[in-house]
Amino acid sequence: KHPVIVLQDVAFTDLHALVEFIYHGEVNVHQRSLSSFLKTAEVLRVSGLTQQQAEETHNVCQKCLFNDDRFSC
């Protein structure tokens, strides 16, 4: 009755942050989680976050900011 979707090697925190980005257009991610978050975005082909999709501008996207140890996009 309820379909189950299995996303191998996708952390819940990364998926939660990606859904937040998709719905709100911005997200805050700890710098230590950034590589995992971006890898998940690349695997799921979420546009606007990865180098390939942002045409290699500033490693991620033009409006991303670092504040203390947090990353905001």
Side-chain angles (χ1 to χ4, degrees):
K1 292 183 179 192
H2 299 287
V4 175
I5 299 172
V6 177
L7 299 173
Q8 188 172 352
D9 299 326
V10 173
F12 173 77
T13 55
D14 293 338
L15 186 59
H16 184 268
L18 283 172
V19 170
E20 187 174 325
F21 174 77
I22 291 168
Y23 279 99
H24 300 290
E26 63 183 24
V27 67
N28 289 318
V29 178
H30 279 282
Q31 190 170 1
R32 66 177 175 255
S33 304
L34 183 58
S35 62
S36 173
F37 172 73
L38 292 175
K39 178 69 175 172
T40 302
E42 185 176 345
V43 168
L44 297 177
R45 297 181 181 175
V46 176
S47 62
L49 284 174
T50 63
Q51 280 184 329
Q52 295 170 347
Q53 295 155 339
E55 299 178 3
E56 303 200 18
T57 54
H58 299 105
N59 292 337
V60 184
C61 63
Q62 293 178 342
K63 58 183 179 178
C64 297
L65 303 171
F66 284 99
N67 294 327
D68 298 324
D69 68 337
R70 296 188 71 82
F71 177 79
S72 179
C73 193

